[in-house]
Amino acid sequence: MTYTSIQQDKLEIKDQLGRAPSTTTIGVWGMNEDVVIEELSEVVNLRKIYSSGTDSFILGHPINGILGIASGTGGNQIRLGDYRGSLRLQRVLNPNNVYREYFRDTQFKHSNTNMTWDLTNYALVFSSGSIGQSEIIALNNETYSSCILNLSGTALGNLTPKVSFNGGVNFETVTLGTPYNATNTGTAIMWRLEATGSGTCTKVQLEYS
Amino acid sequence: MVMLQEGLNRVRDLISTDMTLGTLGASGTAAALTDTNLLLPLSATQQSITKTSTDRQVQIDYSLASTSGTSRTFKEFKTHNASYDFDRMVFTGIDFTVNGSDEVSITKKYFIRGT
């Protein structure tokens, strides 16, 4: 934000009323500082609920009376009481198709990651041979074919950055800060960093289309 | 001079406190700065949201039970309170049936960045 001394402005204006304009400089402080509220990812999931009774345990029932083994009349394993299945990812949206990762949580940490996803120092700490990989960071029933990947941190030259456009089937090596057109287009984007030395990554920003 | 972490986290807390509700809608029209509501809001989907804060970041969690809401194709979502709308998000439609077999879960994060 830029801050102008309103009080000083008022004095200058007051001084100039009815007189020749003054040449006195008006004091201005330039803070050159921004406070930005950034929207990060929105994730939409569905979760299966087995609450209709068709797969619930029923004492003495020839099918629904056997816990955990038989398939109930609804076609699923018999559960005791209501049962909530695991989340099924439907959409991952980012404002203006720009994903940002600040390492404040592990929402997008893939199980392949053996770099240190450091939630204390808010960074991805890497050493030679280690891997950092995201879960799907863009998914909206549309095809993606290009991206620009940017990283912040130290010793980023020790990283080989890769992006997958097809949900991790193919990872393609990209150049940081340079537009990249996918060889294998797809509907689900992930990123992957492979380390050849040590360093720290504090931000991942991936623009895509 | 620099905006302090403490100050940025204060901004985060003010936003977090003010944002209390989430509602789904059925319009796929792109979001615009001048929007003042969802374009096709589905009031039966309005739910309280939970919030989790970490350094300069707040995550909101919205959940719609399988027995709540209305049977529609959801295409938009907003965060808001009783008086103000904060954010409208549009996505490719997701079908939902009341008393069906699915519940809806939405998470959204905001980050307060100083330079």
Side-chain angles (χ1 to χ4, degrees):
Chain A
M1 75 185 110
T2 299
Y3 173 72
T4 303
S5 170
I6 297 173
Q7 292 304 320
Q8 191 162 349
D9 281 354
K10 286 181 178 176
L11 285 173
E12 293 291 344
I13 293 166
K14 186 177 179 180
D15 284 349
Q16 291 177 39
L17 289 174
R19 301 193 310 205
S22 167
T23 56
T24 303
T25 303
I26 297 173
V28 175
W29 290 274
M31 289 175 68
N32 295 322
E33 199 170 2
D34 296 321
V35 176
V36 179
I37 302 170
E38 285 187 342
E39 283 189 80
L40 302 184
S41 305
E42 178 193 9
V43 177
V44 182
N45 285 286
L46 290 177
R47 188 200 302 269
K48 191 84 170 176
I49 304 296
Y50 303 105
S51 58
S52 64
T54 55
D55 300 312
S56 299
F57 176 73
I58 303 171
L59 186 63
H61 191 281
I63 298 175
N64 286 41
I66 305 172
L67 278 172
I69 300 173
S71 292
T73 55
N76 300 291
Q77 192 178 58
I78 300 298
R79 308 281 180 169
L80 189 61
D82 288 351
Y83 171 71
R84 303 167 80 227
S86 57
L87 293 172
R88 307 191 321 274
L89 186 64
Q90 304 296 306
R91 305 283 181 263
V92 184
L93 305 150
N94 297 284
N96 300 314
N97 283 1
V98 181
Y99 158 87
R100 297 179 181 89
E101 176 63 67
Y102 289 102
F103 302 104
R104 260 54 178 183
D105 56 58
T106 55
Q107 182 177 27
F108 292 107
K109 179 185 178 184
H110 192 281
S111 58
N112 284 351
T113 299
N114 56 15
M115 292 178 181
T116 302
W117 197 289
D118 186 347
L119 299 182
T120 302
N121 298 302
Y122 314 122
L124 190 62
V125 182
F126 52 88
S127 56
S128 183
S130 61
I131 292 170
Q133 183 176 319
S134 76
E135 294 282 358
I136 293 170
I137 58 92
L139 178 75
N140 194 30
N141 197 28
E142 55 195 8
T143 299
Y144 306 113
S145 60
S146 64
C147 73
I148 303 174
L149 178 63
N150 282 291
L151 305 176
S152 299
T154 60
L156 299 175
N158 288 336
L159 290 173
T160 301
K162 297 183 176 182
V163 174
S164 171
F165 295 81
N166 54 13
V169 177
N170 304 98
F171 278 96
E172 304 175 25
T173 301
V174 303
T175 302
L176 294 180
T178 302
Y180 178 79
N181 293 314
T183 302
N184 301 283
T185 62
T187 59
I189 297 179
M190 305 166 76
W191 55 262
R192 180 181 168 99
L193 304 173
E194 298 174 358
T196 56
S198 298
T200 302
C201 176
T202 55
K203 180 183 178 183
V204 176
Q205 178 170 310
L206 182 58
E207 302 176 43
Y208 55 88
S209 59
Chain B
M1 59 191 75
V2 64
M3 280 297 296
L4 303 177
Q5 184 180 34
E6 187 174 275
L8 296 170
N9 282 330
R10 173 68 175 157
V11 174
R12 174 206 63 194
D13 289 344
L14 292 170
I15 293 170
S16 175
T17 300
D18 218 31
M19 213 179 273
T20 56
L21 300 168
T23 298
L24 286 155
S27 171
T29 302
L33 182 66
T34 51
D35 289 344
T36 56
N37 195 353
L38 296 176
L39 298 192
L40 288 173
L42 302 168
S43 58
T45 65
Q46 179 176 304
Q47 302 289 329
S48 295
I49 55 177
T50 58
K51 293 156 283 189
T52 306
S53 293
T54 55
D55 177 56
R56 283 171 275 167
Q57 178 178 291
V58 59
Q59 173 176 317
I60 69 103
D61 289 278
Y62 167 93
S63 184
L64 181 68
S66 61
T67 52
S68 300
T70 185
S71 299
R72 287 292 287 270
T73 299
F74 299 143
K75 295 181 180 177
E76 56 181 339
F77 175 72
K78 71 171 181 177
T79 52
H80 62 110
N81 63 26
S83 303
Y84 298 100
D85 287 357
F86 296 102
D87 193 4
R88 175 172 175 257
M89 297 146 260
V90 176
F91 48 87
T92 304
I94 295 172
D95 295 332
F96 178 79
T97 304
V98 178
N99 295 321
S101 60
D102 284 315
E103 67 178 20
V104 179
S105 169
I106 296 176
T107 65
K108 170 76 178 181
K109 294 187 288 191
Y110 301 90
F111 186 77
I112 314 302
R113 180 170 57 82
T115 59

